[in-house]
Amino acid sequence: MARGGGSKRPAKADWSESATKKKQAGVSDMTLLSKITNDAINDNLKKRFHNADIYTYIGNVLISVNPFRDLGIYTPQVLKSYENKNRMEQPPHVYAIAEGAFRNMVSYRESQCVIISGESGAGKTEAAKKIMEYIAAVSGSGGAGSGISGIKDMVLATNPLLESFGCAKTLRNNNSSRHGKYLEIQFNAGGEPVGAIITNYLLEKNRVVGQIKNERNFHIFYQFAKAASQEYRDMFGVSGPESYLYTSAAGCLDVPNIDDAKDYADTIKAMNTIGITKDEQAGIHRMLATILWLGNVQFTEDDDGGSAITDPNITQFVAYLLEANQDMVSKALTKRTIETSRGGRRGSVYDVPLNTSQARAARDGLSKAIYGRLFDWIVARVNTAMQAREAASYIIGVLDIYGFEIFQSNSFEQLCINYVNEKLQQIFIELTLKAEQEEYVREQIRWTPIDYFNNKIVCDLIEAKRPPGVFAAMNDACATAHADPKAADNSLSQRLTICSTAASPVKHYAGDVTYTISGMTDKNKDQLLRDHLELCKSSGNQFLRTLFPEPLDQDSKKRPPTASDLIKGSANELVTKLMQSQPSYIRTIKPNENKSPSEFDDKRVLHQVKYLGLCENIRIRRAGFAYRQTFEKFVERFYLLSSATSYAGDYIWTGDAKSACVQIFKDTNIAAEEWQIGTTKAFIRHPETLWALENLRERYWHNMASRIQRAWRAHMAFKHTAARKIQRFWLGKKEALELLKVREKGHDLLGGRKERRRLSLISVRVFAGDYLGVNSSSAGGIGQLIRDAAGIGKEKVKFSSDIQCLVPRSMRSAIPMPRSLVVSGQYLYVLSAIVSQGLLQYSDLAMSPYQDGWTVIHLESQPDLVIECELKTELLTVLNAISNGRIKLQVNSTIEYKNKKLKPTQIKFVKNEQIKRPQFLKKTVQPTAISAARTNVQRTKPKPAVSVPARTNGNVQRQTSPPRQSQRDSPQQIMQQWNNQAAGSSNARASASPAPRQQAPRQQAPRRPRPPPPPPAAPGVPTPASWAWRRTVVYEILDKNPNGWWLGLRGGLEGWIPSNYLNPTPEPEAPAHQAAPPPPRPNMANGNSGGAHQGDNMARLAAALASRSASNIPARPGMNRFQQQQDDESDEEAWD
């Protein structure tokens, strides 16, 4: 794992494991239990069962509790999640066992086996199916139609086929395996399946001829009787299962959750997949029909005490199915051929009649023989189809064998089943303990051996020859009393030194079992009668003769092997195979007898926990250390716990994985006696230590999550604050965006032909449009009065402003008078005491090239309108937009217009460099010469200064620079601010104590002026920048802002001065102008008021205009109030 060594670095830790993993109940590995008792194991399994966690580990052993329902844990997505994963990386699952076996085979080049054990109904068959499904899914890469794909399909097809012929419904399980099966999947050196072999163990043939109440025969009989094709029904005379004694005697024809018709279709499909031909399938169905009809053969006692067949027609149909002679069939069922021998030579042959009991036994014996041979043929046929296509290097074996059985009456079948389970328990203990010892030796770990119960003594009790065990005694009893089953049973009892012939107790690892000796010896013989063999060999059916291939050797003196011999040999052969492979274990547990998905029978589960030896398994596993893991996996899991191995979740250790493990143990303060370092693995002695490490790991994620949350909250606070600023800015700008476009349009219309003011050139002034608030919804305001008086209605006003309008006078020259200008989408309104309408038909506009606000609007069939409007550019833009660009702009120093008599008149513009503000003298306008050179200044948008707000703990630091004018001010607020500024401005001069005058700064291009410093309560309109001031210096005050800062002029430079540092004095050169008196109210009786405009609206508007003195008219640069002529000429003003 060192950086320079080329070892693989551990994967980065993933926090999502803690966030997405399912809430665990109990412990997933019972080696980590605090108390090792059967009750503690039972309690842990119960918690996990109710939490839908049916799988639990004991080291490498998987404990599976049958859920009796579908938990949705076998989907392709779940299967994929276990591929190429270590056992500890995923929750316990049967897929993890399959993955471990397959990867160990590929990695270590060793054969593997999976041993599945448990009692009937615990889920062994399902576990075996899932093992095979997983191996088929992850092994090889053959496509459809390839040999690899064919092998996979055939391996999976063996499940429904062998389930139909080898499983049945019992009281404990609806799909109980009544045979043992060891499936060996063969792989080549590349890990691809090339073949498979199935070994069959001890089929329960007695179930063919009889079952206890509420159980069933093998599934295939019900599938065949219910869903056979019409061809088979006509050929073999098949009807429903209720028609046959072998299928109806137990009183159970249907099973919940089992669809016999569907399963029959799956069985036929499996036959086709494996390659069983149509003729072979017909032969299989013929044998099944033969067995069903044999069960209907009944016997009565004849006059000689023998037996006679009740219905010969049934025997005749059986003979048809067997393709044999009817008399021969009747003889095989009612008589028995016995041959005597004398002196080693053949003697006489006798046909001994059978009584009814013996005849029924003979009938059942023939049925069992046919079904047993048929099952063996199917297994052999499957093995032939799955024969290895190439040389096999390794195997993975899956053992699905009957579980330990304890009934009220236990006979020969239970003895054989429990004997095989004892052999499996023996190798389980030996291999588990052996594996533990070998691992500690290999890793050079110090440990203390543990005593355990070795069940070899129980196996010897059953299978030993010296001294003779149960099987040996049973064979001797059969040999000495072969003619009389009862005598053989008595002989067996004597040999077992049992006084009574009733029972024989045996102490198994799963508990004490009492066996019934009656009938044991007869079942042990399991010999095919000579008459039955002759009948089958003489059959004209080739398939039947194939089932009985052995020759009929009448001279053979060799005793045929008994059933106990066969099961003993099969068990020892199975143990030999398992010992040659690396085993994995699955121990299945049945939670209740009622097949309930919610019931957990503590007493029953506790019994299974005891006889499965789970407590001993945990003790063996924890003999030295409860937990062990390779260095790489341990570091990958826990490197976060050491600051030397991790930083910000990244692995930073530069040494090898072994030294990283030591560093982690030291940094987590784990006691030295609690851990040891092997050659390839790290070992932890007690589970509490592992829990402590896991808890530290969980706390690490919690702490990291808390830090991330804090950082996130700080980020979100900054984000929201910034968003609110942007929103405030946008809300202020949203309505002005169109007006900004209007401002740009005005610049384009002027095209540099007219001198501009500095604030207009640098785009400081915002085109607000409605400066009088005519669009305002506030009732009682001046805007509402104008709207009502002009009769505008709901139409939106494009532009409104105060103007100076050139008003003609009787016998005198026209003079400018204050008016209000409103421009809507249809009309242009000039308002005074009365409203003048009908001025919509304007043709063009005329302006001077100088820096003034005079504009001439040429009208059609009316006197031209000569006005002075400070917002001339905006007015030009609005009129241009309303006329769709048809208006023309004339720029000239002499402008011709029509007076009130529609006679042409001229107005001249003469630049006067001596005056500060434009003046109107009769028909001559004298604009100021200041800033005259700004005509051709290129208009550019100022680049705003980018200010990055400082952050403090996620909060936005408030800026301390002087606030700018709010962008959300309405046009009414802007006008009010300008009025406030105008009200406080005068031409007064401020003087202070004498001081040396400072040098004026060099003239430079106009820049955006800095606003006055705080307070920000009522910020003024953006103005020129402030400059340094000194005492005893005289300044000319141009504007008095209400916020305490006055605009001063000295040496041709303007700047802001705090008013509290100034001493205002009157201006000696020019006395201050007196405010003009309010205009007189119009005489409503003279007829000039316009009868259509009389009423309350006109009165309120006249009152509002009359109350506005000259001091309330905005004193903006470029506006002349003409106060010197208003005192003596106010009575002669024309309000039209």
Side-chain angles (χ1 to χ4, degrees), residues 82 191 271 277 412 457 496 556 796 906 1037 1098 1116 1118:
Y82 282 84
M271 290 182 182
T277 64
F412 178 75
I457 187 174
L496 296 177
S556 175
K796 188 175 181 181
Q906 289 185 345
I1037 301 303
M1098 190 78 267
R1116 294 182 292 273

Side-chain angles (χ1 to χ4, degrees), residues 250-515:
C252 181
L253 300 178
D254 300 297
V255 181
N257 300 324
I258 290 183
D259 187 350
D260 291 313
K262 177 180 178 300
D263 293 344
Y264 179 73
D266 294 339
T267 301
I268 299 300
K269 181 180 179 181
M271 290 182 182
N272 295 329
T273 301
I274 291 173
I276 299 178
T277 64
K278 295 295 183 181
D279 293 339
E280 291 173 335
Q281 294 181 27
I284 293 173
H285 287 86
R286 178 181 290 273
M287 294 302 102
L288 295 175
T290 300
I291 295 171
L292 290 176
W293 282 109
L294 275 174
N296 285 354
V297 175
Q298 298 298 314
F299 302 95
T300 59
E301 187 175 356
D302 59 9
D303 297 337
D304 299 330
S307 60
I309 298 175
T310 303
D311 188 356
N313 292 328
I314 298 179
T315 310
Q316 181 182 3
F317 193 76
V318 171
Y320 157 74
L321 294 175
L322 292 175
E323 299 184 21
N325 184 274
Q326 181 179 356
D327 295 335
M328 196 170 186
V329 173
S330 300
K331 178 184 176 182
L333 297 179
T334 58
K335 293 181 181 180
R336 182 177 180 182
T337 301
I338 298 178
E339 182 180 359
T340 62
S341 61
R342 181 179 299 174
R345 291 180 298 176
R346 295 179 60 187
S348 303
V349 178
Y350 301 94
D351 292 332
V352 179
L354 302 177
N355 58 31
T356 54
S357 298
Q358 293 172 334
R360 285 193 293 270
R363 175 202 63 188
D364 294 344
L366 178 60
S367 299
K368 291 190 292 183
I370 294 176
Y371 192 80
R373 296 298 180 95
L374 176 63
F375 188 83
D376 292 340
W377 181 89
I378 291 176
V379 173
R381 185 67 178 81
V382 170
N383 288 337
T384 301
M386 297 191 302
Q387 187 175 4
R389 272 57 169 172
E390 57 182 273
S393 301
Y394 317 103
I395 66 167
I396 294 180
V398 181
L399 178 62
D400 175 17
I401 203 165
Y402 22 66
F404 200 92
E405 294 184 346
I406 303 177
F407 301 128
Q408 291 182 352
S409 177
N410 302 286
S411 186
F412 178 75
E413 292 83 4
Q414 280 70 45
L415 177 63
C416 294
I417 288 173
N418 295 341
Y419 161 70
V420 174
N421 279 273
E422 285 286 353
K423 297 290 288 185
L424 295 178
Q425 177 69 8
Q426 182 182 11
I427 66 172
F428 172 76
I429 294 176
E430 288 182 357
L431 291 179
T432 302
L433 183 60
K434 178 183 178 182
E436 288 290 313
Q437 291 174 332
E438 289 179 350
E439 182 173 25
Y440 289 141
V441 172
R442 183 171 61 251
E443 295 290 334
Q444 302 177 7
I445 297 298
R446 300 182 302 274
W447 74 299
T448 303
I450 185 175
D451 296 332
Y452 64 96
F453 172 73
N454 192 339
N455 68 335
K456 185 177 183 303
I457 187 174
V458 180
C459 296
D460 292 341
L461 173 65
I462 298 175
E463 67 179 2
K465 292 183 177 180
R466 299 288 186 275
V470 176
F471 285 164
M474 197 179 300
N475 290 337
D476 291 343
C478 292
T480 56
H482 58 84
D484 188 356
K486 292 185 178 179
D489 291 341
N490 293 331
S491 175
L492 175 61
S493 298
Q494 294 174 3
R495 293 175 186 276
L496 296 177
T497 65
I498 301 299
C499 299
S500 174
T501 60
S504 176
V506 177
K507 287 187 173 293
H508 290 283
Y509 74 94
D512 297 345
V513 182
T514 300
Y515 297 100

Side-chain angles (χ1 to χ4, degrees), residues 164-181:
S164 297
F165 284 88
C167 296
K169 189 264 181 187
T170 65
L171 295 178
R172 292 187 173 184
N173 185 8
N174 291 342
N175 190 37
S176 176
S177 296
R178 308 317 298 164
H179 70 106
K181 178 183 69 174

Side-chain angles (χ1 to χ4, degrees), residues 815-859:
I815 64 171
M817 297 296 292
R819 295 291 187 266
S820 296
L821 177 66
V822 178
V823 180
S824 67
Q826 297 182 358
Y827 293 98
L828 185 148
Y829 302 88
V830 179
L831 294 94
S832 179
I834 62 174
V835 180
S836 296
Q837 299 191 44
L839 303 180
L840 176 63
Q841 303 300 325
Y842 52 87
S843 58
D844 54 26
L845 275 73
M847 296 182 182
S848 75
Y850 306 119
Q851 199 177 97
D852 60 83
W854 285 94
T855 303
V856 177
I857 303 177
H858 296 291
L859 303 177

Side-chain angles (χ1 to χ4, degrees), residues 921-981:
L921 299 176
K922 293 186 179 182
K923 296 182 180 181
T924 303
V925 178
Q926 296 183 2
T928 179
I930 298 178
S931 304
R934 295 173 182 159
T935 302
N936 298 323
V937 176
Q938 186 177 1
R939 173 169 46 87
T940 58
K941 294 184 179 180
K943 184 176 181 181
V946 179
S947 176
V948 180
R951 301 185 185 180
T952 305
N953 295 329
N955 298 324
V956 179
Q957 185 176 357
R958 181 176 298 177
Q959 298 183 4
T960 59
S961 59
R964 297 179 56 183
Q965 179 180 348
S966 173
Q967 298 297 332
R968 302 180 64 176
D969 290 345
S970 65
Q972 295 80 4
Q973 292 173 326
I974 297 175
M975 291 300 301
Q976 183 62 34
Q977 293 170 7
W978 284 5
N979 292 335
N980 293 338
Q981 295 173 13

Side-chain angles (χ1 to χ4, degrees), residues 520-689:
M520 261 193 186
T521 55
D522 192 42
K523 294 178 180 179
N524 182 48
K525 293 177 184 178
D526 193 29
Q527 297 177 8
L528 180 64
L529 296 179
R530 177 178 176 180
D531 302 288
H532 296 167
L533 183 58
E534 289 179 350
L535 174 64
C536 294
K537 297 290 290 184
S538 65
S539 171
N541 185 276
Q542 178 62 33
F543 185 80
L544 179 59
R545 293 198 305 269
T546 305
L547 299 182
F548 296 89
E550 65 271 22
L552 186 61
D553 188 2
Q554 299 179 355
D555 299 329
S556 175
K557 304 299 181 182
K558 184 179 180 181
R559 178 178 67 85
T562 62
S564 60
D565 292 334
L566 295 177
I567 193 63
K568 177 182 175 181
S570 298
N572 289 329
E573 181 182 354
L574 174 63
V575 169
T576 302
K577 288 183 178 180
L578 296 178
M579 294 294 287
Q580 294 174 352
S581 304
Q582 294 297 321
S584 301
Y585 299 96
I586 300 178
R587 312 289 249 175
T588 58
I589 292 179
K590 187 176 183 180
N592 59 76
E593 286 290 343
N594 301 322
K595 306 179 183 68
S596 171
S598 59
E599 180 183 351
F600 191 90
D601 190 342
D602 292 273
K603 183 177 180 181
R604 177 165 185 77
V605 175
L606 185 61
H607 175 69
Q608 296 176 74
V609 168
K610 290 180 180 179
Y611 78 67
L612 287 175
L614 301 186
C615 192
E616 282 190 350
N617 187 198
I618 297 175
R619 287 196 180 97
I620 293 173
R621 183 71 178 177
R622 290 183 53 173
F625 296 86
Y627 174 84
R628 75 288 313 274
Q629 188 57 272
T630 60
F631 296 145
E632 292 76 14
K633 289 295 181 181
F634 183 86
V635 171
E636 183 176 320
R637 181 71 180 173
F638 298 112
Y639 77 86
L640 296 171
L641 305 184
S642 172
S643 59
T645 57
S646 70
Y647 177 76
D650 292 327
Y651 184 71
I652 61 173
W653 186 256
T654 57
D656 57 7
K658 182 175 182 179
S659 60
C661 291
V662 176
Q663 187 66 38
I664 292 172
F665 280 124
K666 291 181 178 179
D667 290 347
T668 51
N669 297 321
I670 303 298
E673 61 273 11
E674 281 295 315
W675 56 274
Q676 284 195 40
I677 298 296
T679 57
T680 62
K681 294 182 179 180
F683 292 79
I684 296 178
R685 186 175 300 278
H686 294 106
E688 290 79 6
T689 304

